[in-house]
């Protein structure tokens, strides 16, 4: 018999871009946090069911990503079993985070996973001079204390996260919003509910803040 | 508060950085991946590779460079040069680029921009506009789109063109003044201003940076969301950190995470 199995984090690969750099960021964060774990990039439903942690990335349009998820037989079911029924820690990234919502209203309406009740709607900054997409580095404003943000300086003088999006998740319940960023008004930056969390920004592209958040996720025991 | 971005741009030919990067002790100053890591460590907000490889057979070398860079640098990477089809974009994105920059192919077929944006999302489609002033001294300024490194005129008005490709789904405009490129005389601020006012998407100002004040001007007077420069960084005239601190001291909002 082999020894205890290494903890396994699965990054869900459903055709949404290159996940090699995301996987490298998670590997590095695990190493820096001194965590012995395996990072696996796959869409295999069985692997999702056995995963200790699940990461759902996503780039492009909401409806396209939803179609990508549905195109892999058994994927959504397996992910739902692991996350909703088994309570494994989950992190959605960018459109992967938006997919946690009830609906996306980008170009065409499409249903999300409905884990965080709310809609994904166009960002509408109060200042019309602000450019869309919201693209680049912005700070976070934390709405509550959460293990995911532990040790990460937030606020105007805090660290920066890399955003690139034209739509944002507006949860029905304010309590699901863990942090916002300011872009002509508050824009949802991090959501969290029970064992699920999501970031609108790209932690795998966000240097120091990103690696810290990924380490926190890999240590998170909701 | 969203910060203004500073983007170093590396010209890559046959998988090597043209002229290299001399601001830091590198084992191999011509290796794009080493240069990328150095800029990552120096606090660059994004990185841009411009592939100037002559033959398309050598494309595989570039893709390998992109792949190795994406796996080592946790920052956004834009790759341009020779992007002619939806398949080219897909290949770049799959190699690990975050954005693909389109130039000539968009001039020849603007619908390509629409198709690319629909396929991959506006967030990863940059349209590069090379513009040259064609109005005479004293006339109301007019700029035209040029291709082939500024040698070939297209007769297309640069401002209207930028507005059109943005409306077709470009997520960002990389605007280069061909009059200023390589002169170190500063950005063409009237051009930068005219384009940023004509589009709702972010504009990256490029061409002509010779001093750190030029970077400040690009944002403050040109209205650019990001400034791109090559030689002032590559040859050690200024570090990325100096540039960003200078811009912050001038009152711009910059990311100074250390």
């Amino acid at each position: 018999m082999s020894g205890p199995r290494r903890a396994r984090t699965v990054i869900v690969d459903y055709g949404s871009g290159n996940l090699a750099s995301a996987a490298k960021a998670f590997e590095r964060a695990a190493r820096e946090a001194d965590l012995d774990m395996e990072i696996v990039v796959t869409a295999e439903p069985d692997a999702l069911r056995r995963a200790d942690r699940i990461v759902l990335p996503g780039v492009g349009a909401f409806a396209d990503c939803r179609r990508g998820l549905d195109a892999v037989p058994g994927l959504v079911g397996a992910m739902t079993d692991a996350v909703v029924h088994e309570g494994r820690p989950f992190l959605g990234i960018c459109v992967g985070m938006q997919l946690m919502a009830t609906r996306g209203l980008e170009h065409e309406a499409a249903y999300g996973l409905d884990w965080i009740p709310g809609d994904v709607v166009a960002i509408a900054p109060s200042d019309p001079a602000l450019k869309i997409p919201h693209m680049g580095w912005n700070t976070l404003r934390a709405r509550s204390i959460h293990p995911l943000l532990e040790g990460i300086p937030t606020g105007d003088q805090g660290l920066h996260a890399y955003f690139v999006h034209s739509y944002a998740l507006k949860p029905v319940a304010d309590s699901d919003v863990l942090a916002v960023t300011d872009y002509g008004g508050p824009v949802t930056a991090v959501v969290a509910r029970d064992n699920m969390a999501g970031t609108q920004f790209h932690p795998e592209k966000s240097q120091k803040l990103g690696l810290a958040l990924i380490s926190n996720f890999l240590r998170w025991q909701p | 508060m969203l910060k203004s971005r500073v983007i170093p741009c590396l010209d890559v030919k046959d998988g090597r950085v043209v002229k290299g990067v001399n601001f830091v002790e590198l084992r191999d100053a011509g290796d794009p991946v080493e240069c990328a890591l150095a800029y990552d460590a120096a606090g660059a907000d994004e990185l841009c590779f411009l592939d100037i490889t002559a033959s398309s057979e050598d494309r595989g070398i570039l893709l390998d460079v992109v792949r190795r860079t994406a796996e080592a640098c946790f920052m956004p990477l834009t790759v341009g040069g020779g992007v002619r089809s939806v398949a080219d974009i897909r290949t770049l994105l799959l190699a690990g680029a975050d954005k693909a920059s389109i130039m000539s192919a968009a001039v020849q077929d603007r619908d390509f921009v629409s198709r690319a944006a629909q396929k991959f999302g506006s967030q990863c489609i940059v349209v590069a506009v090379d513009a040259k002033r064609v109005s005479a001294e004293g006339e109301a300024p007019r700029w035209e789109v040029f291709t082939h490194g500024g040698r070939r005129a297209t007769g297309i008005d640069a401002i209207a063109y930028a507005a059109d490709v943005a409306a077709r789904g470009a997520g960002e405009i990389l605007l280069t003044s061909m009059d200023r490129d390589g002169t170190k005389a500063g950005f063409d601020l009237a051009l930068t201003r005219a384009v940023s006012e004509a589009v709702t998407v972010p504009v990256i100002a490029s061409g002509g940076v010779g001093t750190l004040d030029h970077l400040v001007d690009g944002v403050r007077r040109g209205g650019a969301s990001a400034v791109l420069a090559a030689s002032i960084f590559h040859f050690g005239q200024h570090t990325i950190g100096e540039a960003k601190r200078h811009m912050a001291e001038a009152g711009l909002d910059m990311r100074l995470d250390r």
Side-chain angles (χ1 to χ4, degrees):
Chain A
M1 288 293 287
S2 56
R5 167 175 98 73
R6 283 172 87 202
R8 188 177 294 152
T9 296
V10 165
I11 301 179
V12 185
D13 180 11
Y14 59 106
S16 177
N18 177 329
L19 303 179
S21 73
K24 293 284 177 196
F26 277 76
E27 280 164 12
R28 178 159 149 193
R31 214 165 41 238
E32 285 178 3
D34 221 359
L35 297 166
D36 179 36
M37 60 169 64
E38 218 180 328
I39 310 294
V40 182
V41 177
T42 180
E44 188 59 45
D46 278 347
L48 282 171
R49 283 206 178 79
R50 288 196 312 268
D52 298 291
R53 288 164 202 277
I54 293 179
V55 178
L56 183 67
V59 293
F62 186 99
D64 278 344
C65 286
R66 175 72 219 207
R67 277 191 285 271
L69 280 184
D70 291 338
V72 185
L75 194 162
V76 171
M79 200 164 67
T80 307
D81 281 349
V83 177
V84 178
H85 304 134
E86 302 283 334
R88 313 270 172 70
F90 171 92
L91 181 69
I93 297 176
C94 197
V95 182
M97 171 259 218
Q98 295 181 354
L99 286 166
M100 299 165 80
T102 311
R103 286 191 309 170
L105 302 175
E106 181 175 356
H107 307 309
E108 51 185 315
Y111 286 103
L113 298 164
D114 199 22
W115 295 351
I116 303 268
D119 283 346
V120 176
V121 298
I123 313 170
S126 56
D127 177 355
L130 290 178
K131 302 291 191 176
I132 301 287
H134 171 221
M135 187 184 285
W137 298 87
N138 210 331
T139 46
L140 306 178
R141 192 144 37 90
R143 289 259 176 97
S144 49
I145 294 169
H146 193 280
L148 218 52
L149 296 179
E150 199 186 310
I152 296 178
T154 54
D156 289 346
Q157 303 304 314
L159 291 176
H160 292 80
Y162 186 79
F163 290 85
V164 48
H165 63 125
S166 304
Y167 292 78
L169 171 48
K170 265 200 175 359
V172 172
D174 266 346
S175 56
D176 288 340
V177 179
L178 177 55
V180 294
T181 189
D182 182 46
Y183 196 58
V187 173
T188 305
V190 188
V191 292
R193 167 186 278 226
D194 307 327
N195 57 312
M196 308 164 195
T199 63
Q200 178 59 65
F201 57 86
H202 287 270
E204 78 282 16
K205 298 285 167 194
S206 295
Q207 296 182 338
K208 201 170 175 183
L209 179 150
L211 289 171
L213 185 135
I214 294 170
S215 298
N216 286 343
F217 170 71
L218 294 175
R219 271 190 298 246
W220 186 27
Q221 303 289 351
Chain B
M1 178 76 74
L2 185 69
K3 305 303 188 290
S4 301
R5 288 169 282 154
V6 174
I7 308 175
C9 180
L10 293 161
D11 285 356
V12 179
K13 185 164 192 263
D14 304 324
R16 303 283 298 169
V17 176
V18 177
K19 292 181 197 148
V21 159
N22 304 320
F23 71 90
V24 64
E25 286 300 315
L26 294 179
R27 211 161 21 89
D28 177 0
D31 177 9
V33 183
E34 277 208 44
C35 297
L37 279 167
Y39 279 126
D40 189 7
D45 294 310
E46 291 187 24
L47 192 65
C48 182
F49 282 160
L50 182 62
D51 183 32
I52 55 173
T53 302
S55 71
S56 52
E57 296 90 77
D58 295 329
R59 198 67 172 173
I61 303 172
L62 174 81
L63 293 173
D64 180 57
V65 164
V66 170
R67 200 168 293 120
R68 289 188 293 124
T69 304
E71 289 178 4
C73 288
F74 304 118
M75 67 186 311
L77 173 65
T78 299
V79 183
V83 178
R84 305 198 188 287
S85 65
V86 163
D88 287 342
I89 299 174
R90 178 181 291 114
T91 311
L92 281 176
L93 298 178
L94 285 178
D98 297 290
K99 311 180 203 175
S101 172
I102 313 173
M103 212 195 67
S104 313
V107 174
Q108 282 150 19
D109 173 16
R110 294 193 203 183
D111 190 54
F112 175 38
V113 178
S114 323
R115 293 197 304 276
Q118 261 160 30
K119 191 76 204 163
F120 306 107
S122 294
Q123 82 289 337
C124 61
I125 305 300
V126 180
V127 173
V129 180
D130 282 2
K132 218 181 218 182
R133 194 185 280 249
V134 289
S135 49
E137 203 67 40
E139 263 185 344
R142 257 177 327 108
W143 296 268
E144 204 172 297
V145 176
F146 276 67
T147 59
H148 298 81
R151 293 190 307 276
R152 193 174 297 178
T154 63
I156 299 167
D157 179 80
I159 313 299
Y161 174 74
D164 185 43
V165 292
R168 285 168 182 271
E172 202 168 26
I173 302 290
L174 168 53
L175 176 68
T176 304
S177 160
M178 299 314 288
D179 299 305
R180 297 298 177 90
D181 206 28
T183 64
K184 296 191 174 282
F187 297 119
D188 182 339
L189 295 173
L191 168 69
T192 311
R193 169 62 63 187
V195 171
S196 0
E197 283 176 354
V199 301
T200 56
V201 300
V203 172
I204 306 169
S206 154
V209 174
T211 71
L212 298 182
D213 281 329
H214 290 156
L215 300 175
V216 175
D217 290 342
V219 175
R220 175 162 294 144
R221 295 171 57 202
S225 299
V227 286
L228 180 140
S231 52
I232 64 158
F233 298 132
H234 301 337
F235 306 131
Q237 186 185 340
H238 292 290
T239 65
I240 298 280
E242 277 166 20
K244 292 173 72 169
R245 278 191 299 276
H246 184 86
M247 293 169 79
E249 279 158 18
L252 298 176
D253 293 308
M254 305 302 297
R255 177 181 73 111
L256 299 168
D257 295 353
R258 279 294 80 204

